[in-house]
Amino acid sequence: IIKYLKENLENQSLSQLNRVIENKLLGFNINPEFNTAIIAALPELRQPKVSILQIAPCTGVLTQQLIKKYQNNTFFIDVTLLFNSENELKICKMIMDKFFPKSSSLLIRYVVADYLEYTPNMHYDILISAPTNKKVTGIERLKLARRFNDNRSNNLTSFIIQKALKEANNIGFVLPKYF
C-alpha cells in the first residue's frame, strides 16, 4: 500500500486514495454515510481545548471531518491516533500530511498500540472507533473477563466499549448489527 501511495499521492484525490486503501486494509469500503452520521451525532463542544482519541483511523478521513467539526469552536484540538501497526500509521500520516493543512492550534499524535493495552495520558472529550467484531476465547477471554470483571462478554468489541466509556466523555462507534 505504501508503494501505491508513493506512486499515486500526487495524482489522485483523497476519495480515490481512500477507496483503494480501505479496500486493501479492510477488505471493504466504509460507507461515507457512517462517518457523516457519527460526526452529526457528536455534541457541539465550545471549550478552549478539545481532546480526541481515534482508534484505527485507517486513512484519516474521519479524523479530518472531526477536526473540521471542532476547529471553529475551540482554540486548540489535541488528537491522538492509535494504530494497530507501524505500516497503518505510515499510510495515514502520508495522507494527512498531503491533504490536511498544518495548524498551530492542532496537535496530532501518532501512536502504535493495542487499544486494550494502551494507557492514555488524559481523559478524552471524544473517542471514535470502528472496532473489530472478533470473538475472544480461551485464555485471551479469561484475561479480559478478569480485567473487566465481565464473565458474559465474548466479543472484543464489548471490552473495547467498556474501556472507552471510562476514558471519554463522548464515544462514537461504527458497530456491526450483531456483536
Side-chain angles (χ1 to χ4, degrees):
I1 296 175
I2 293 191
K3 180 182 176 195
Y4 169 82
L5 259 178
K6 286 179 181 177
E7 293 170 356
N8 295 284
L9 195 58
E10 297 303 320
N11 60 1
Q12 288 192 4
S13 70
L14 177 58
S15 63
Q16 290 170 315
L17 291 168
N18 189 54
R19 259 193 313 277
V20 171
I21 293 167
E22 275 183 353
N23 205 342
K24 288 183 184 226
L25 283 178
L26 307 173
F28 61 92
N29 290 109
I30 295 172
N31 185 333
E33 292 174 9
F34 289 139
N35 289 354
T36 303
I38 287 174
I39 298 294
L42 291 171
E44 293 296 327
L45 298 177
R46 298 183 189 285
Q47 56 197 50
K49 177 184 171 190
V50 172
S51 57
I52 300 169
L53 173 63
Q54 186 177 0
I55 305 165
C58 199
T59 60
V61 169
L62 180 58
T63 309
Q64 294 175 24
Q65 292 171 340
L66 278 167
I67 292 167
K68 285 178 185 171
K69 177 175 178 121
Y70 294 113
Q71 70 186 359
N72 294 327
N73 298 336
T74 188
F75 178 71
F76 191 76
I77 301 175
D78 187 332
V79 180
T80 303
L81 302 177
L82 199 61
F83 297 88
N84 295 318
S85 73
E86 234 3 273
N87 198 42
E88 290 176 15
L89 181 151
K90 287 178 187 173
I91 292 165
C92 183
K93 186 152 180 18
M94 287 173 73
I95 290 173
M96 292 288 283
D97 288 348
K98 166 70 177 162
F99 292 101
F100 203 71
K102 304 279 185 268
S103 168
S104 60
S105 62
L106 174 65
L107 172 64
I108 299 179
R109 292 183 189 89
Y110 297 87
V111 179
V112 176
D114 175 341
Y115 173 63
L116 290 174
E117 301 300 323
Y118 177 69
T119 303
N121 60 358
M122 70 179 83
H123 188 82
Y124 293 95
D125 296 307
I126 306 286
L127 189 148
I128 299 290
S129 180
T132 181
N133 191 29
K134 176 185 165 197
K135 296 287 184 196
V136 286
T137 58
I139 293 172
E140 181 183 14
R141 187 191 169 286
L142 289 174
K143 286 179 183 177
L144 289 169
R146 281 190 199 119
R147 183 171 160 204
F148 288 94
N149 195 26
D150 177 353
N151 291 319
R152 293 177 25 178
S153 296
N154 67 352
N155 189 299
L156 205 53
T157 301
S158 175
F159 296 111
I160 290 170
I161 291 171
Q162 289 178 58
K163 185 174 190 277
L165 287 169
K166 294 175 186 172
E167 295 178 349
N169 297 334
N170 302 281
I171 63 172
F173 284 74
V174 176
L175 295 172
K177 187 173 181 178
Y178 302 104
F179 69 93

